[in-house]
Short mmCIF file of all heavy atoms in Angstrom, two decimals:
data_model
loop_
_atom_site.label_atom_id
_atom_site.label_comp_id
_atom_site.label_asym_id
_atom_site.label_seq_id
_atom_site.Cartn_x
_atom_site.Cartn_y
_atom_site.Cartn_z
N MET A 25 0.85 -1.18 0.00
CA MET A 25 0.00 0.00 0.00
C MET A 25 0.89 1.24 0.00
O MET A 25 1.92 1.28 0.65
CB MET A 25 -0.88 0.01 1.25
CG MET A 25 -1.71 1.24 1.35
SD MET A 25 -2.42 1.39 3.00
CE MET A 25 -2.83 3.09 2.97
N GLN A 26 0.47 2.24 -0.73
CA GLN A 26 1.17 3.51 -0.76
C GLN A 26 0.16 4.62 -0.55
O GLN A 26 -0.97 4.54 -1.03
CB GLN A 26 1.88 3.72 -2.09
CG GLN A 26 2.99 2.73 -2.31
CD GLN A 26 3.66 2.95 -3.66
OE1 GLN A 26 3.24 3.77 -4.44
NE2 GLN A 26 4.70 2.20 -3.89
N ALA A 27 0.57 5.64 0.16
CA ALA A 27 -0.31 6.78 0.39
C ALA A 27 0.54 8.03 0.52
O ALA A 27 1.68 7.96 0.97
CB ALA A 27 -1.14 6.57 1.66
N VAL A 28 -0.01 9.14 0.12
CA VAL A 28 0.65 10.43 0.31
C VAL A 28 -0.22 11.22 1.26
O VAL A 28 -1.41 11.42 1.03
CB VAL A 28 0.79 11.19 -1.04
CG1 VAL A 28 1.39 12.56 -0.81
CG2 VAL A 28 1.64 10.38 -2.00
N MET A 29 0.38 11.63 2.36
CA MET A 29 -0.35 12.39 3.38
C MET A 29 0.49 13.59 3.77
O MET A 29 1.70 13.59 3.62
CB MET A 29 -0.60 11.53 4.61
CG MET A 29 -1.46 10.35 4.37
SD MET A 29 -1.66 9.46 5.92
CE MET A 29 -2.91 8.31 5.43
N GLN A 30 -0.16 14.60 4.29
CA GLN A 30 0.53 15.77 4.78
C GLN A 30 0.48 15.79 6.29
O GLN A 30 -0.44 15.25 6.90
CB GLN A 30 -0.09 17.04 4.21
CG GLN A 30 0.27 17.26 2.78
CD GLN A 30 -0.13 18.64 2.31
OE1 GLN A 30 -0.83 18.74 1.35
NE2 GLN A 30 0.32 19.67 2.97
N GLY A 31 1.47 16.38 6.87
CA GLY A 31 1.51 16.50 8.32
C GLY A 31 2.37 17.68 8.69
O GLY A 31 2.90 18.39 7.84
N ILE A 32 2.52 17.88 9.98
CA ILE A 32 3.34 18.97 10.48
C ILE A 32 4.22 18.42 11.60
O ILE A 32 3.80 17.55 12.35
CB ILE A 32 2.47 20.16 10.96
CG1 ILE A 32 3.33 21.37 11.26
CG2 ILE A 32 1.61 19.76 12.15
CD1 ILE A 32 2.55 22.66 11.36
N CYS A 33 5.42 18.93 11.65
CA CYS A 33 6.37 18.51 12.67
C CYS A 33 6.36 19.53 13.80
O CYS A 33 6.54 20.73 13.57
CB CYS A 33 7.77 18.40 12.06
SG CYS A 33 9.00 17.84 13.25
N ARG A 34 6.13 19.05 15.03
CA ARG A 34 6.14 19.91 16.21
C ARG A 34 6.94 19.20 17.30
O ARG A 34 6.62 18.06 17.64
CB ARG A 34 4.72 20.19 16.71
CG ARG A 34 3.93 21.09 15.82
CD ARG A 34 2.67 21.59 16.52
NE ARG A 34 1.92 22.42 15.61
CZ ARG A 34 0.72 22.10 15.13
NH1 ARG A 34 0.15 20.97 15.47
NH2 ARG A 34 0.10 22.92 14.31
N ASN A 35 7.95 19.88 17.80
CA ASN A 35 8.78 19.33 18.87
C ASN A 35 9.33 17.95 18.53
O ASN A 35 9.35 17.04 19.35
CB ASN A 35 8.02 19.28 20.20
CG ASN A 35 7.65 20.65 20.70
OD1 ASN A 35 8.42 21.60 20.57
ND2 ASN A 35 6.45 20.79 21.24
N GLY A 36 9.71 17.77 17.26
CA GLY A 36 10.33 16.52 16.85
C GLY A 36 9.35 15.38 16.58
O GLY A 36 9.76 14.26 16.31
N GLN A 37 8.06 15.64 16.63
CA GLN A 37 7.06 14.60 16.35
C GLN A 37 6.26 14.98 15.12
O GLN A 37 5.95 16.15 14.90
CB GLN A 37 6.11 14.41 17.53
CG GLN A 37 6.79 13.81 18.75
CD GLN A 37 5.78 13.52 19.84
OE1 GLN A 37 4.84 14.29 20.06
NE2 GLN A 37 5.96 12.39 20.51
N LEU A 38 5.90 13.96 14.33
CA LEU A 38 5.12 14.17 13.12
C LEU A 38 3.65 13.95 13.41
O LEU A 38 3.25 12.89 13.92
CB LEU A 38 5.58 13.20 12.02
CG LEU A 38 4.81 13.25 10.71
CD1 LEU A 38 4.96 14.62 10.05
CD2 LEU A 38 5.28 12.16 9.77
N PHE A 39 2.83 14.95 13.09
CA PHE A 39 1.39 14.85 13.26
C PHE A 39 0.74 14.89 11.89
O PHE A 39 0.87 15.88 11.16
CB PHE A 39 0.86 16.01 14.12
CG PHE A 39 1.37 15.97 15.54
CD1 PHE A 39 2.53 16.65 15.88
CD2 PHE A 39 0.70 15.24 16.50
CE1 PHE A 39 3.01 16.62 17.18
CE2 PHE A 39 1.17 15.20 17.80
CZ PHE A 39 2.34 15.89 18.14
N LEU A 40 0.06 13.81 11.51
CA LEU A 40 -0.59 13.73 10.21
C LEU A 40 -1.92 14.49 10.24
O LEU A 40 -2.59 14.54 11.26
CB LEU A 40 -0.83 12.27 9.82
CG LEU A 40 0.42 11.42 9.65
CD1 LEU A 40 0.03 9.97 9.38
CD2 LEU A 40 1.29 11.95 8.54
N GLU A 41 -2.29 15.02 9.07
CA GLU A 41 -3.54 15.77 8.97
C GLU A 41 -4.75 14.86 8.89
O GLU A 41 -5.87 15.31 9.05
CB GLU A 41 -3.50 16.69 7.74
CG GLU A 41 -2.50 17.81 7.88
CD GLU A 41 -2.45 18.72 6.66
OE1 GLU A 41 -3.18 18.47 5.68
OE2 GLU A 41 -1.67 19.69 6.69
N GLU A 42 -4.53 13.58 8.62
CA GLU A 42 -5.65 12.62 8.58
C GLU A 42 -5.24 11.35 9.29
O GLU A 42 -4.06 11.08 9.50
CB GLU A 42 -6.06 12.32 7.13
CG GLU A 42 -4.94 11.81 6.27
CD GLU A 42 -5.33 11.71 4.81
OE1 GLU A 42 -5.87 10.68 4.43
OE2 GLU A 42 -5.08 12.69 4.08
N LYS A 43 -6.21 10.57 9.69
CA LYS A 43 -5.94 9.34 10.42
C LYS A 43 -5.56 8.22 9.45
O LYS A 43 -6.02 8.19 8.31
CB LYS A 43 -7.16 8.91 11.23
CG LYS A 43 -7.44 9.84 12.38
CD LYS A 43 -8.50 9.27 13.28
CE LYS A 43 -8.66 10.19 14.48
NZ LYS A 43 -9.30 9.51 15.58
N LEU A 44 -4.76 7.30 9.94
CA LEU A 44 -4.38 6.12 9.16
C LEU A 44 -5.48 5.08 9.26
O LEU A 44 -6.25 5.04 10.22
CB LEU A 44 -3.06 5.55 9.67
CG LEU A 44 -1.84 6.45 9.52
CD1 LEU A 44 -0.64 5.81 10.21
CD2 LEU A 44 -1.52 6.70 8.06
N SER A 45 -5.52 4.17 8.30
CA SER A 45 -6.50 3.10 8.26
C SER A 45 -6.26 2.12 9.41
O SER A 45 -5.12 1.86 9.79
CB SER A 45 -6.40 2.37 6.92
OG SER A 45 -7.09 1.15 6.96
N HIS A 46 -7.33 1.56 9.92
CA HIS A 46 -7.21 0.54 10.97
C HIS A 46 -6.49 -0.71 10.45
O HIS A 46 -5.95 -1.47 11.23
CB HIS A 46 -8.59 0.17 11.50
CG HIS A 46 -9.24 1.28 12.26
ND1 HIS A 46 -8.80 1.69 13.50
CD2 HIS A 46 -10.28 2.08 11.96
CE1 HIS A 46 -9.55 2.68 13.93
NE2 HIS A 46 -10.45 2.95 13.01
N ASP A 47 -6.49 -0.90 9.13
CA ASP A 47 -5.80 -2.05 8.53
C ASP A 47 -4.29 -2.00 8.78
O ASP A 47 -3.61 -3.02 8.69
CB ASP A 47 -6.04 -2.11 7.02
CG ASP A 47 -7.50 -2.28 6.67
OD1 ASP A 47 -8.27 -2.77 7.53
OD2 ASP A 47 -7.88 -1.92 5.54
N LEU A 48 -3.76 -0.82 9.06
CA LEU A 48 -2.32 -0.66 9.27
C LEU A 48 -1.91 -0.90 10.72
O LEU A 48 -0.72 -0.90 11.03
CB LEU A 48 -1.89 0.74 8.83
CG LEU A 48 -2.11 1.06 7.36
CD1 LEU A 48 -1.78 2.52 7.09
CD2 LEU A 48 -1.25 0.16 6.50
N GLU A 49 -2.87 -1.10 11.59
CA GLU A 49 -2.59 -1.26 13.01
C GLU A 49 -1.57 -2.37 13.25
O GLU A 49 -1.71 -3.48 12.75
CB GLU A 49 -3.88 -1.59 13.76
CG GLU A 49 -3.77 -1.53 15.26
CD GLU A 49 -3.58 -0.12 15.78
OE1 GLU A 49 -4.11 0.82 15.17
OE2 GLU A 49 -2.90 0.04 16.80
N GLY A 50 -0.49 -2.05 13.95
CA GLY A 50 0.54 -3.02 14.30
C GLY A 50 1.57 -3.27 13.21
O GLY A 50 2.52 -4.02 13.43
N LYS A 51 1.40 -2.66 12.05
CA LYS A 51 2.34 -2.87 10.95
C LYS A 51 3.47 -1.85 11.01
O LYS A 51 3.30 -0.75 11.52
CB LYS A 51 1.64 -2.77 9.59
CG LYS A 51 0.64 -3.88 9.36
CD LYS A 51 0.07 -3.82 7.98
CE LYS A 51 -0.88 -4.99 7.77
NZ LYS A 51 -1.47 -4.96 6.46
N THR A 52 4.64 -2.23 10.50
CA THR A 52 5.77 -1.32 10.39
C THR A 52 5.64 -0.58 9.07
O THR A 52 5.42 -1.19 8.03
CB THR A 52 7.10 -2.11 10.42
OG1 THR A 52 7.17 -2.83 11.66
CG2 THR A 52 8.28 -1.18 10.31
N LEU A 53 5.77 0.74 9.12
CA LEU A 53 5.62 1.57 7.93
C LEU A 53 6.94 2.26 7.62
O LEU A 53 7.71 2.58 8.52
CB LEU A 53 4.54 2.63 8.16
CG LEU A 53 3.17 2.11 8.60
CD1 LEU A 53 2.27 3.28 8.93
CD2 LEU A 53 2.57 1.23 7.54
N LYS A 54 7.18 2.53 6.34
CA LYS A 54 8.31 3.35 5.92
C LYS A 54 7.77 4.75 5.65
O LYS A 54 6.75 4.91 5.01
CB LYS A 54 8.95 2.80 4.64
CG LYS A 54 9.65 1.49 4.84
CD LYS A 54 10.31 1.05 3.55
CE LYS A 54 10.99 -0.28 3.75
NZ LYS A 54 11.67 -0.74 2.53
N VAL A 55 8.47 5.75 6.13
CA VAL A 55 8.04 7.13 5.97
C VAL A 55 9.13 7.88 5.20
O VAL A 55 10.30 7.81 5.54
CB VAL A 55 7.81 7.81 7.33
CG1 VAL A 55 7.42 9.26 7.17
CG2 VAL A 55 6.75 7.05 8.11
N ILE A 56 8.75 8.58 4.16
CA ILE A 56 9.67 9.42 3.39
C ILE A 56 9.27 10.86 3.66
O ILE A 56 8.12 11.25 3.46
CB ILE A 56 9.57 9.10 1.88
CG1 ILE A 56 9.95 7.64 1.63
CG2 ILE A 56 10.44 10.06 1.08
CD1 ILE A 56 9.71 7.18 0.22
N ILE A 57 10.21 11.65 4.10
CA ILE A 57 9.94 13.04 4.43
C ILE A 57 10.34 13.93 3.25
O ILE A 57 11.46 13.88 2.78
CB ILE A 57 10.74 13.48 5.68
CG1 ILE A 57 10.47 12.55 6.86
CG2 ILE A 57 10.45 14.93 6.02
CD1 ILE A 57 9.07 12.58 7.38
N VAL A 58 9.40 14.71 2.77
CA VAL A 58 9.65 15.69 1.71
C VAL A 58 9.16 17.02 2.24
O VAL A 58 7.97 17.19 2.52
CB VAL A 58 8.91 15.31 0.41
CG1 VAL A 58 9.14 16.36 -0.66
CG2 VAL A 58 9.31 13.93 -0.07
N GLU A 59 10.09 17.96 2.36
CA GLU A 59 9.71 19.27 2.87
C GLU A 59 8.90 20.02 1.82
O GLU A 59 9.28 20.07 0.65
CB GLU A 59 10.96 20.08 3.24
CG GLU A 59 10.63 21.35 3.96
CD GLU A 59 11.89 22.07 4.43
OE1 GLU A 59 12.99 21.51 4.31
OE2 GLU A 59 11.74 23.21 4.90
N SER A 60 7.79 20.54 2.24
CA SER A 60 6.91 21.26 1.34
C SER A 60 7.51 22.61 1.00
O SER A 60 7.88 23.37 1.88
CB SER A 60 5.56 21.43 2.01
OG SER A 60 4.55 21.60 1.07
N GLU A 61 7.62 22.90 -0.30
CA GLU A 61 8.21 24.17 -0.74
C GLU A 61 7.22 25.32 -0.67
O GLU A 61 7.59 26.46 -0.53
CB GLU A 61 8.73 24.03 -2.16
CG GLU A 61 9.86 23.03 -2.28
CD GLU A 61 10.28 22.81 -3.71
OE1 GLU A 61 9.81 23.53 -4.60
OE2 GLU A 61 11.07 21.89 -3.94
N GLN A 62 5.94 24.99 -0.82
CA GLN A 62 4.90 26.01 -0.82
C GLN A 62 3.84 25.62 0.19
O GLN A 62 3.67 24.45 0.50
CB GLN A 62 4.25 26.11 -2.20
CG GLN A 62 5.20 26.45 -3.31
CD GLN A 62 4.51 26.38 -4.66
OE1 GLN A 62 3.45 25.81 -4.80
NE2 GLN A 62 5.14 26.96 -5.66
N PRO A 63 3.11 26.60 0.70
CA PRO A 63 1.99 26.26 1.59
C PRO A 63 0.99 25.37 0.86
O PRO A 63 0.83 25.49 -0.37
CB PRO A 63 1.37 27.61 1.93
CG PRO A 63 2.31 28.65 1.46
CD PRO A 63 3.23 28.02 0.47
N PRO A 64 0.30 24.47 1.57
CA PRO A 64 -0.65 23.55 0.91
C PRO A 64 -1.69 24.24 0.04
O PRO A 64 -2.02 23.75 -1.03
CB PRO A 64 -1.33 22.84 2.09
CG PRO A 64 -0.38 22.98 3.23
CD PRO A 64 0.38 24.25 3.00
N ASP A 65 -2.18 25.41 0.45
CA ASP A 65 -3.19 26.11 -0.36
C ASP A 65 -2.60 26.51 -1.71
O ASP A 65 -3.26 26.42 -2.75
CB ASP A 65 -3.71 27.35 0.36
CG ASP A 65 -4.55 27.00 1.57
OD1 ASP A 65 -4.98 25.83 1.67
OD2 ASP A 65 -4.78 27.88 2.41
N ARG A 66 -1.36 26.95 -1.73
CA ARG A 66 -0.69 27.35 -2.98
C ARG A 66 -0.45 26.13 -3.86
O ARG A 66 -0.58 26.21 -5.08
CB ARG A 66 0.63 28.06 -2.64
CG ARG A 66 1.37 28.55 -3.82
CD ARG A 66 0.64 29.75 -4.46
NE ARG A 66 1.34 30.12 -5.66
CZ ARG A 66 0.81 30.12 -6.88
NH1 ARG A 66 -0.45 29.84 -7.04
NH2 ARG A 66 1.51 30.44 -7.92
N GLN A 67 -0.10 24.99 -3.26
CA GLN A 67 0.10 23.76 -4.03
C GLN A 67 -1.21 23.34 -4.70
O GLN A 67 -1.22 22.91 -5.84
CB GLN A 67 0.61 22.64 -3.12
CG GLN A 67 2.04 22.81 -2.69
CD GLN A 67 2.48 21.71 -1.75
OE1 GLN A 67 1.67 21.11 -1.05
NE2 GLN A 67 3.77 21.46 -1.74
N LYS A 68 -2.29 23.45 -3.96
CA LYS A 68 -3.60 23.07 -4.50
C LYS A 68 -3.98 23.96 -5.68
O LYS A 68 -4.44 23.47 -6.71
CB LYS A 68 -4.66 23.16 -3.39
CG LYS A 68 -5.98 22.53 -3.77
CD LYS A 68 -7.03 22.71 -2.68
CE LYS A 68 -6.67 21.95 -1.45
NZ LYS A 68 -7.74 22.01 -0.42
N GLU A 69 -3.75 25.27 -5.54
CA GLU A 69 -4.03 26.21 -6.63
C GLU A 69 -3.20 25.84 -7.87
O GLU A 69 -3.71 25.84 -8.99
CB GLU A 69 -3.68 27.63 -6.22
CG GLU A 69 -4.63 28.24 -5.24
CD GLU A 69 -4.14 29.61 -4.77
OE1 GLU A 69 -3.37 30.26 -5.52
OE2 GLU A 69 -4.51 30.01 -3.65
N ARG A 70 -1.93 25.55 -7.66
CA ARG A 70 -1.03 25.20 -8.76
C ARG A 70 -1.50 23.92 -9.46
O ARG A 70 -1.53 23.83 -10.68
CB ARG A 70 0.38 25.02 -8.23
CG ARG A 70 1.40 24.82 -9.30
CD ARG A 70 2.81 24.91 -8.69
NE ARG A 70 3.74 24.35 -9.64
CZ ARG A 70 4.43 23.23 -9.44
NH1 ARG A 70 4.32 22.58 -8.32
NH2 ARG A 70 5.23 22.77 -10.37
N PHE A 71 -1.92 22.92 -8.67
CA PHE A 71 -2.40 21.66 -9.23
C PHE A 71 -3.64 21.89 -10.09
O PHE A 71 -3.72 21.42 -11.23
CB PHE A 71 -2.72 20.67 -8.11
CG PHE A 71 -3.45 19.45 -8.60
CD1 PHE A 71 -2.77 18.45 -9.27
CD2 PHE A 71 -4.81 19.30 -8.38
CE1 PHE A 71 -3.44 17.33 -9.73
CE2 PHE A 71 -5.48 18.19 -8.83
CZ PHE A 71 -4.80 17.19 -9.51
N PHE A 72 -4.62 22.63 -9.57
CA PHE A 72 -5.86 22.84 -10.32
C PHE A 72 -5.64 23.72 -11.56
O PHE A 72 -6.30 23.52 -12.57
CB PHE A 72 -6.96 23.40 -9.42
CG PHE A 72 -7.56 22.34 -8.53
CD1 PHE A 72 -7.47 22.44 -7.16
CD2 PHE A 72 -8.20 21.25 -9.07
CE1 PHE A 72 -8.00 21.46 -6.34
CE2 PHE A 72 -8.74 20.26 -8.27
CZ PHE A 72 -8.64 20.37 -6.89
N SER A 73 -4.70 24.64 -11.51
CA SER A 73 -4.42 25.42 -12.72
C SER A 73 -3.77 24.53 -13.77
O SER A 73 -4.03 24.69 -14.97
CB SER A 73 -3.56 26.64 -12.40
OG SER A 73 -2.26 26.25 -12.03
N LEU A 74 -2.96 23.58 -13.35
CA LEU A 74 -2.37 22.62 -14.28
C LEU A 74 -3.45 21.74 -14.90
O LEU A 74 -3.47 21.52 -16.11
CB LEU A 74 -1.33 21.75 -13.55
CG LEU A 74 -0.60 20.73 -14.38
CD1 LEU A 74 0.34 21.40 -15.38
CD2 LEU A 74 0.17 19.78 -13.49
N VAL A 75 -4.38 21.27 -14.07
CA VAL A 75 -5.49 20.44 -14.58
C VAL A 75 -6.34 21.25 -15.55
O VAL A 75 -6.71 20.75 -16.63
CB VAL A 75 -6.34 19.91 -13.41
CG1 VAL A 75 -7.64 19.29 -13.91
CG2 VAL A 75 -5.56 18.90 -12.59
N ASP A 76 -6.66 22.48 -15.20
CA ASP A 76 -7.47 23.33 -16.09
C ASP A 76 -6.79 23.53 -17.44
O ASP A 76 -7.46 23.58 -18.47
CB ASP A 76 -7.74 24.70 -15.45
CG ASP A 76 -8.74 24.62 -14.31
OD1 ASP A 76 -9.47 23.60 -14.24
OD2 ASP A 76 -8.78 25.56 -13.50
N GLY A 77 -5.48 23.63 -17.44
CA GLY A 77 -4.74 23.83 -18.69
C GLY A 77 -4.75 22.61 -19.60
O GLY A 77 -4.50 22.73 -20.79
N HIS A 78 -5.06 21.44 -19.05
CA HIS A 78 -5.07 20.21 -19.84
C HIS A 78 -6.47 19.61 -19.95
O HIS A 78 -6.64 18.48 -20.38
CB HIS A 78 -4.13 19.18 -19.22
CG HIS A 78 -2.69 19.55 -19.37
ND1 HIS A 78 -2.05 20.38 -18.47
CD2 HIS A 78 -1.79 19.25 -20.31
CE1 HIS A 78 -0.81 20.55 -18.85
NE2 HIS A 78 -0.61 19.88 -19.97
N SER A 79 -7.48 20.35 -19.56
CA SER A 79 -8.85 19.87 -19.60
C SER A 79 -9.57 20.33 -20.86
O SER A 79 -9.21 21.34 -21.45
CB SER A 79 -9.63 20.37 -18.38
OG SER A 79 -9.06 19.88 -17.20
N PHE A 80 -10.58 19.58 -21.24
CA PHE A 80 -11.42 19.97 -22.36
C PHE A 80 -12.81 19.39 -22.14
O PHE A 80 -12.99 18.45 -21.37
CB PHE A 80 -10.83 19.48 -23.70
CG PHE A 80 -10.55 18.01 -23.74
CD1 PHE A 80 -11.49 17.12 -24.24
CD2 PHE A 80 -9.34 17.51 -23.29
CE1 PHE A 80 -11.24 15.77 -24.27
CE2 PHE A 80 -9.07 16.16 -23.32
CZ PHE A 80 -10.02 15.29 -23.82
N VAL A 81 -13.79 19.96 -22.81
CA VAL A 81 -15.18 19.54 -22.65
C VAL A 81 -15.52 18.53 -23.75
O VAL A 81 -15.26 18.78 -24.92
CB VAL A 81 -16.12 20.76 -22.72
CG1 VAL A 81 -17.57 20.32 -22.60
CG2 VAL A 81 -15.76 21.76 -21.64
N LEU A 82 -16.10 17.41 -23.34
CA LEU A 82 -16.54 16.40 -24.31
C LEU A 82 -17.96 16.72 -24.75
O LEU A 82 -18.76 17.25 -23.97
CB LEU A 82 -16.52 15.02 -23.67
CG LEU A 82 -15.13 14.48 -23.31
CD1 LEU A 82 -15.28 13.19 -22.51
CD2 LEU A 82 -14.30 14.23 -24.55
N PRO A 83 -18.30 16.38 -25.99
CA PRO A 83 -19.69 16.58 -26.44
C PRO A 83 -20.65 15.74 -25.59
O PRO A 83 -20.27 14.69 -25.08
CB PRO A 83 -19.69 16.08 -27.89
CG PRO A 83 -18.27 15.91 -28.27
CD PRO A 83 -17.46 15.83 -27.03
N GLU A 84 -21.87 16.21 -25.45
CA GLU A 84 -22.85 15.48 -24.62
C GLU A 84 -23.12 14.08 -25.14
O GLU A 84 -23.39 13.18 -24.36
CB GLU A 84 -24.17 16.26 -24.57
CG GLU A 84 -24.15 17.36 -23.55
CD GLU A 84 -25.53 17.91 -23.29
OE1 GLU A 84 -26.49 17.13 -23.20
OE2 GLU A 84 -25.62 19.15 -23.19
N ASP A 85 -23.03 13.86 -26.44
CA ASP A 85 -23.32 12.54 -27.01
C ASP A 85 -22.08 11.64 -27.06
O ASP A 85 -22.13 10.55 -27.62
CB ASP A 85 -23.95 12.68 -28.40
CG ASP A 85 -23.00 13.38 -29.38
OD1 ASP A 85 -22.04 14.04 -28.93
OD2 ASP A 85 -23.25 13.27 -30.59
N TYR A 86 -20.97 12.04 -26.44
CA TYR A 86 -19.74 11.25 -26.48
C TYR A 86 -19.92 9.95 -25.71
O TYR A 86 -20.47 9.92 -24.62
CB TYR A 86 -18.58 12.03 -25.87
CG TYR A 86 -17.32 11.22 -25.78
CD1 TYR A 86 -16.50 11.04 -26.88
CD2 TYR A 86 -16.96 10.60 -24.58
CE1 TYR A 86 -15.36 10.27 -26.80
CE2 TYR A 86 -15.81 9.84 -24.50
CZ TYR A 86 -15.02 9.68 -25.61
OH TYR A 86 -13.89 8.91 -25.53
N LYS A 87 -19.47 8.84 -26.32
CA LYS A 87 -19.47 7.55 -25.65
C LYS A 87 -18.11 6.93 -25.84
O LYS A 87 -17.58 6.89 -26.95
CB LYS A 87 -20.54 6.63 -26.23
CG LYS A 87 -21.92 6.97 -25.80
CD LYS A 87 -22.82 5.78 -26.01
CE LYS A 87 -24.11 6.05 -25.30
NZ LYS A 87 -24.61 4.91 -24.61
N PHE A 88 -17.53 6.45 -24.76
CA PHE A 88 -16.23 5.79 -24.82
C PHE A 88 -16.41 4.41 -25.46
O PHE A 88 -17.28 3.64 -25.07
CB PHE A 88 -15.65 5.65 -23.41
CG PHE A 88 -14.35 4.91 -23.39
CD1 PHE A 88 -13.19 5.51 -23.83
CD2 PHE A 88 -14.29 3.61 -22.92
CE1 PHE A 88 -11.99 4.84 -23.80
CE2 PHE A 88 -13.10 2.92 -22.89
CZ PHE A 88 -11.94 3.54 -23.34
N ASN A 89 -15.59 4.10 -26.46
CA ASN A 89 -15.67 2.81 -27.14
C ASN A 89 -14.34 2.09 -27.00
O ASN A 89 -13.38 2.37 -27.70
CB ASN A 89 -16.01 3.02 -28.62
CG ASN A 89 -16.24 1.70 -29.33
OD1 ASN A 89 -15.74 0.65 -28.94
ND2 ASN A 89 -17.02 1.75 -30.40
N ARG A 90 -14.29 1.17 -26.07
CA ARG A 90 -13.06 0.43 -25.78
C ARG A 90 -12.64 -0.41 -26.98
O ARG A 90 -11.46 -0.54 -27.28
CB ARG A 90 -13.27 -0.46 -24.56
CG ARG A 90 -12.05 -1.24 -24.18
CD ARG A 90 -12.24 -1.88 -22.87
NE ARG A 90 -12.52 -0.77 -21.96
CZ ARG A 90 -12.56 -0.87 -20.65
NH1 ARG A 90 -12.36 -2.00 -20.09
NH2 ARG A 90 -12.82 0.16 -19.91
N GLU A 91 -13.59 -0.99 -27.68
CA GLU A 91 -13.27 -1.82 -28.84
C GLU A 91 -12.59 -0.98 -29.93
O GLU A 91 -11.62 -1.41 -30.53
CB GLU A 91 -14.55 -2.47 -29.40
CG GLU A 91 -15.28 -3.35 -28.42
CD GLU A 91 -14.46 -4.57 -27.98
OE1 GLU A 91 -13.78 -5.17 -28.84
OE2 GLU A 91 -14.49 -4.90 -26.77
N ASP A 92 -13.08 0.21 -30.15
CA ASP A 92 -12.49 1.10 -31.15
C ASP A 92 -11.09 1.51 -30.71
O ASP A 92 -10.17 1.58 -31.54
CB ASP A 92 -13.38 2.34 -31.33
CG ASP A 92 -12.92 3.23 -32.45
OD1 ASP A 92 -12.49 2.69 -33.50
OD2 ASP A 92 -12.99 4.45 -32.29
N LEU A 93 -10.90 1.74 -29.44
CA LEU A 93 -9.60 2.13 -28.91
C LEU A 93 -8.55 1.05 -29.17
O LEU A 93 -7.43 1.32 -29.56
CB LEU A 93 -9.69 2.40 -27.41
CG LEU A 93 -8.38 2.72 -26.70
CD1 LEU A 93 -7.87 4.09 -27.14
CD2 LEU A 93 -8.56 2.68 -25.20
N HIS A 94 -8.93 -0.19 -28.99
CA HIS A 94 -8.00 -1.31 -29.17
C HIS A 94 -8.01 -1.86 -30.58
O HIS A 94 -7.37 -2.87 -30.86
CB HIS A 94 -8.31 -2.42 -28.17
CG HIS A 94 -8.05 -2.00 -26.74
ND1 HIS A 94 -6.79 -1.83 -26.24
CD2 HIS A 94 -8.89 -1.70 -25.73
CE1 HIS A 94 -6.85 -1.46 -24.98
NE2 HIS A 94 -8.12 -1.36 -24.64
N GLY A 95 -8.74 -1.22 -31.48
CA GLY A 95 -8.75 -1.61 -32.88
C GLY A 95 -9.36 -2.98 -33.13
O GLY A 95 -8.97 -3.72 -34.03
N ARG A 96 -10.36 -3.34 -32.36
CA ARG A 96 -11.00 -4.65 -32.54
C ARG A 96 -12.20 -4.55 -33.43
O ARG A 96 -12.85 -3.66 -33.64
CB ARG A 96 -11.44 -5.21 -31.18
CG ARG A 96 -10.25 -5.47 -30.31
CD ARG A 96 -10.70 -6.03 -28.98
NE ARG A 96 -9.54 -6.09 -28.11
CZ ARG A 96 -9.60 -6.16 -26.81
NH1 ARG A 96 -10.76 -6.18 -26.21
NH2 ARG A 96 -8.54 -6.20 -26.09
#
């Protein structure tokens, strides 16, 4: 299992912004620390502007055709 979570370090302890799943109880976890370069709100704005730049509107009658995609 892999997950990306945010937290804050206070007095040498890491506090996560959300709770971990009960399925992880008693398991040993590996933690990778990446210092956030921007405040979370700024990161969110940057992400959504990136998504907006690559988004487009599909016609209302659009239907995904898996067979056509795979050339069957």
Side-chain angles (χ1 to χ4, degrees):
M25 176 194 162
Q26 294 179 355
V28 176
M29 297 180 170
Q30 285 191 235
I32 190 164
C33 181
R34 289 193 182 113
N35 296 322
Q37 292 186 321
L38 177 63
F39 295 92
L40 298 175
E41 292 180 358
E42 56 188 274
K43 291 189 175 200
L44 296 173
S45 166
H46 292 289
D47 299 337
L48 298 174
E49 191 69 32
K51 294 186 178 179
T52 300
L53 305 174
K54 291 183 181 181
V55 178
I56 299 172
I57 305 295
V58 178
E59 189 174 352
S60 204
E61 296 175 8
Q62 300 174 344
D65 291 344
R66 182 71 185 120
Q67 287 178 334
K68 191 183 293 186
E69 287 174 25
R70 187 170 164 247
F71 170 76
F72 283 118
S73 69
L74 181 69
V75 169
D76 287 342
H78 290 86
S79 298
F80 54 93
V81 178
L82 293 172
E84 278 193 42
D85 61 343
Y86 175 80
K87 284 199 168 222
F88 177 74
N89 186 334
R90 181 170 302 190
E91 301 297 320
D92 187 39
L93 176 69
H94 293 289
R96 296 180 188 160

